[in-house]
Amino acid sequence: MVTEMLVVDVEKQLGELALRVTFESAGGATALFGPSGAGKTSIINMIAGLVAPDRGRIVLDGEVLFDDAARIKVPAWRRRIGIVFQEGRLFPHLSVRHNLDYGRWVSGLAADAKAFAHVVDLLDIGPLLDRRPGKLSGGERQRVAVGRALLMRPRLLLLDEPLASLDAARKGDILPYLERLRDEGSVPMIYVSHDSAEVQRIASRVVRLDAGRVTAAGGIELLS
């Protein structure tokens, strides 16, 4: 019997959008796919603990992160969930090296040169370590943002439309690194996108959303 590593069953009123979603993920790369305004980013924020559902339950690796009936609400900093936003949100005054190290530091982890070297190699960002974000391309900034999240040693990685701000050429540059992360990183991912070609390359499972509801869940054949 397969145990789902993530179970989401939540409701949230967001202005005129009444979001009510239920889905599960057993690991790997699960995409939340749908048009703008479907509620994808709100779901990511509820999983991360940045926004509280009105009602429902979120369970990760058997640990209840949110349950309104039981009055359980684990704060974001205790969930050990990494998140990468559209814009990367790097610290402009810090070098790439120090931006990466912030992920470890904010999680209260001891320095780990081996883990640092592994992430740098995985994302091919060694030549960037002494640069500041202002000297990086959009794709390079997103790779650094992914690396920072990984160095938190998360048990789940949330990627909220990480390629949305990039042009086609830059998307083509970073997609192989995301595929490598999926195949070699050993961290389950929830990947938000409205781009079906992108999702086909990254995801093994798809949750289709529209107007705050799950309309289908299954393999990437849902995209055809």
Side-chain angles (χ1 to χ4, degrees):
M1 182 177 178
V2 176
T3 300
E4 303 299 339
M5 61 85 58
L6 176 67
V7 179
V8 177
D9 181 4
V10 294
E11 298 181 15
K12 180 75 173 177
Q13 189 68 38
L14 299 161
E16 295 183 358
L17 178 68
L19 188 148
R20 295 187 182 90
V21 297
T22 300
F23 68 91
E24 299 177 345
S25 172
T30 297
L32 301 185
F33 175 76
S36 296
K40 303 184 300 296
T41 293
S42 296
I43 294 167
I44 284 281
N45 287 337
M46 285 187 270
I47 296 170
L50 303 177
V51 172
D54 295 334
R55 287 170 295 282
R57 181 176 168 90
I58 300 172
V59 182
L60 177 61
D61 286 337
E63 179 188 359
V64 178
L65 301 181
F66 179 87
D67 188 324
D68 70 298
R71 298 186 178 181
I72 296 172
K73 182 183 174 184
V74 176
W77 63 270
R78 283 187 47 209
R79 295 191 182 197
R80 286 183 52 220
I81 294 175
I83 185 166
V84 177
F85 300 97
Q86 258 186 51
E87 314 84 8
R89 301 191 186 181
L90 302 179
F91 296 110
H93 62 291
L94 296 180
S95 67
V96 166
R97 184 186 304 276
H98 288 103
N99 265 285
L100 289 169
D101 202 43
Y102 179 83
R104 172 200 63 80
W105 177 81
V106 78
S107 299
L109 301 171
D112 186 334
K114 186 175 179 180
F116 187 91
H118 173 70
V119 167
V120 167
D121 179 66
L122 179 70
L123 298 169
D124 192 23
I125 50 180
L128 311 179
L129 290 176
D130 295 323
R131 298 188 200 173
R132 291 195 178 184
K135 299 295 185 181
L136 305 179
S137 70
E140 288 169 341
R141 285 194 294 272
Q142 287 303 81
R143 279 154 54 197
V144 174
V146 171
R148 181 175 63 183
L150 289 175
L151 286 167
M152 296 172 61
R153 295 186 200 165
R155 49 185 175 165
L156 177 66
L157 183 62
L158 308 175
L159 297 110
D160 186 11
E161 304 226 32
L163 309 186
S165 63
L166 306 181
D167 61 29
R170 299 290 79 77
K171 284 185 181 183
D173 289 343
I174 195 172
L175 274 167
Y177 295 102
L178 295 178
E179 290 172 318
R180 188 177 179 189
L181 174 61
R182 175 199 63 205
D183 296 337
E184 301 179 22
S186 73
V187 179
M189 298 190 295
I190 303 294
Y191 191 93
V192 168
S193 181
H194 62 269
D195 185 322
S196 60
E198 198 177 298
V199 169
Q200 283 182 319
R201 287 190 61 172
I202 300 298
S204 53
R205 177 174 168 78
V206 176
V207 177
R208 289 193 68 127
L209 295 156
D210 192 23
R213 301 290 192 275
V214 174
T215 59
I220 59 172
E221 68 275 2
L222 292 178
L223 302 172
S224 58

